[in-house]
C-alpha cells in the first residue's frame, strides 16, 4: 500500500483481503474516488482520519475488518459522520437520512490512531489466516478479486479478464504469493492510467516480447 504515496492522481484502489492495517499512505491520493478495503486487518476506525481530506472519495468498501465491531449501526454512522461525501458504503447506497442521523449517532474522529509495530503485508491474525485457508474463502477471494480487477480494467477502457484466465493462478501457491501477484497486476493496471501514448506503446512492446518468450518456452517444454 505504500506505493500509493507516489500515485497522487490515482482514482480507484483495490486492496481487499491483504492484511492491511494502516491507511496513512492514502492521505496524498487527492483524486481517489473509489477505495476497496474489504476483509483486511484495520482494527481502528481512527484510520478514517487519513481519508477525511480526500475530496473526491465517493465509494468505500470497508466491511469485514475488525474496526467494524459488533454494532453495525454505530460503525456505519461513524464512517458517514467522518466521510459525509460518500455515495456508497460497503456496496450500499448512502441516504440523506443516514447522513443526518450520523451527526447524532456517529463518533467524530479528530486524530490518527496510535502507531502499531505490525507492518502491512501478508501477516494476518490467526483467525483471519485460518478462515482463508478454507476452500470457500479461497473461492470467495478469487471471485472478489476478479470483480475488482475487471472494474479497474473497465475504468481503463480495457476488456474484462475471463474467469478461466483469472483462475489460472496456481492453487499450489501460498496465500501470500497469490496476493502479491494480484497486487502487482492491480498496481500495473492502475499505473497505466498515468502513462501517455508513448509510454503505453513501450508497455505494449515490452509485453509483446515477454509473451513471445513465454510462448517459446512453452513450445520447448512440449
Amino acid at each position: 500500500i505504500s506505493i500509493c504515496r507516489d500515485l497522487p492522481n490515482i482514482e480507484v484502489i483495490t486492496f481487499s483481503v491483504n492484511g492491511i492495517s494502516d491507511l496513512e499512505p492514502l492521505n496524498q491520493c487527492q483524486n481517489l474516488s473509489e477505495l476497496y478495503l474489504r476483509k483486511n486487518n484495520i482494527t481502528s476506525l481512527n484510520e478514517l482520519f487519513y481519508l477525511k481530506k480526500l475530496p473526491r472519495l465517493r465509494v468505500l468498501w470497508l466491511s469485514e475488518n475488525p474496526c467494524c465491531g459488533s454494532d453495525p449501526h454505530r460503525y456505519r454512522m461513524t464512517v458517514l459522520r467522518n466521510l459525509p461525501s460518500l455515495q456508497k458504503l460497503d456496496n450500499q447506497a448512502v441516504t440523506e437520512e443516514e447522513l443526518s442521523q450520523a451527526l447524532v449517532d456517529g463518533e467524530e474522529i479528530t486524530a490518527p490512531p496510535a502507531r502499531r509495530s505490525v507492518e502491512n503485508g501478508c501477516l494476518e491474525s490467526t483467525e483471519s489466516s485460518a478462515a482463508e485457508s478454507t476452500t470457500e474463502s479461497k473461492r470467495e477471494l478469487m471471485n472478489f478479486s476478479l470483480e475488482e480487477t475487471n472494474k479497474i480494467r473497465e475504468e481503463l477502457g480495457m476488456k474484462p479478464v475471463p474467469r478461466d484466465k483469472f483462475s489460472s493462478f496456481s492453487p499450489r501457491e501460498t496465500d501470500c504469493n497469490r496476493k502479491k501477484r494480484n497486487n502487482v497486476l492491480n498496481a500495473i493496471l492502475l499505473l497505466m492510467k498515468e502513462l501517455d501514448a508513448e509510454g503505453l506503446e513501450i508497455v505494449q512492446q515490452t509485453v509483446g516480447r515477454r509473451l513471445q518468450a513465454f510462448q517459446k518456452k512453452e513450445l520447448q517444454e512440449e
Side-chain angles (χ1 to χ4, degrees), residues 3-171:
I3 191 177
C4 295
R5 293 192 180 98
D6 300 321
L7 299 172
N9 296 321
I10 199 167
E11 297 179 11
V12 179
I13 295 178
T14 169
F15 280 127
S16 295
V17 199
N18 272 290
I20 290 170
S21 58
D22 182 4
L23 301 186
E24 186 273 335
L26 301 176
N27 66 358
Q28 300 298 319
C29 302
Q30 292 295 299
N31 288 332
L32 187 63
S33 62
E34 299 182 27
L35 178 59
Y36 301 90
L37 293 167
R38 170 183 171 273
K39 213 168 188 179
N40 277 285
N41 194 33
I42 301 168
T43 59
S44 172
L45 283 176
N46 280 29
E47 294 289 344
L48 296 175
F49 177 82
Y50 299 117
L51 307 182
K52 293 181 69 172
K53 294 183 179 180
L54 302 183
R56 300 185 180 182
L57 187 62
R58 296 293 181 267
V59 177
L60 175 65
W61 200 325
L62 192 62
S63 63
E64 297 180 79
N65 275 278
C67 65
C68 299
S70 58
D71 186 343
H73 177 74
R74 177 184 175 277
Y75 152 71
R76 189 171 177 88
M77 292 296 99
T78 296
V79 174
L80 294 181
R81 175 165 183 172
N82 290 278
L83 303 175
S85 295
L86 287 180
Q87 297 176 355
K88 184 176 289 188
L89 173 60
D90 297 337
N91 206 33
Q92 182 178 340
V94 176
T95 65
E96 291 295 332
E97 290 78 9
E98 283 184 309
L99 292 175
S100 298
Q101 191 63 36
L103 296 174
V104 178
D105 295 347
E107 178 182 345
E108 179 72 17
I109 294 173
T110 58
R115 289 295 179 187
R116 293 169 294 279
S117 60
V118 178
E119 296 182 356
N120 290 333
C122 295
L123 294 177
E124 301 182 16
S125 66
T126 302
E127 180 180 354
S128 175
S129 298
E132 288 181 22
S133 66
T134 65
T135 302
E136 181 179 356
S137 293
K138 288 180 180 178
R139 183 166 56 249
E140 181 185 12
L141 169 59
M142 189 277 288
N143 289 337
F144 200 81
S145 297
L146 175 62
E147 176 186 340
E148 291 185 340
T149 296
N150 281 337
K151 184 173 184 60
I152 295 171
R153 293 176 70 91
E154 181 181 355
E155 291 280 336
L156 295 170
M158 302 169 65
K159 293 181 179 180
V161 179
R163 181 173 297 276
D164 60 335
K165 295 293 184 181
F166 195 86
S167 61
S168 65
F169 293 135
S170 171

